[in-house]
Amino acid sequence: MVALLKEDYQRALDEQKKEVRELVMAGLEQIKEGKTKEFNTVCDRLEKKYRDEAISN
């Protein structure tokens, strides 16, 4: 039972790491495309999006 919980936890953690990487890459792409001039703006937007998604799940 404990091993199953650890596997589920690790799987969820891996999925969250993947989502964070995807969000960061999306932000960097926005910078490359010139959609933003301010890196902090991108980070704030990503943080808000990630926080909102985490709450809704």
Side-chain angles (χ1 to χ4, degrees), residues 2 5 7-8 13 15 19 23 28-29 34 36 38-41 43 45 48:
V2 173
L5 290 175
E7 283 182 34
D8 286 345
L13 186 60
E15 184 63 30
E19 289 175 15
L23 290 170
L28 292 174
E29 190 63 33
T36 185
E38 180 68 38
F39 185 71
N40 288 335
T41 303
C43 292
R45 198 173 0 188
K48 182 184 181 320

Side-chain angles (χ1 to χ4, degrees), residues 25-37:
M25 294 307 294
L28 292 174
E29 190 63 33
Q30 287 179 354
I31 291 170
K32 288 178 186 176
E33 292 173 357
K35 291 184 178 178
T36 185
K37 302 285 185 205

Side-chain angles (χ1 to χ4, degrees), residues 8-9 11-12 19-21 32 39 47 55:
D8 286 345
Y9 175 77
R11 194 172 312 135
E19 289 175 15
V20 169
R21 281 192 299 271
K32 288 178 186 176
F39 185 71
E47 182 179 1
I55 290 170

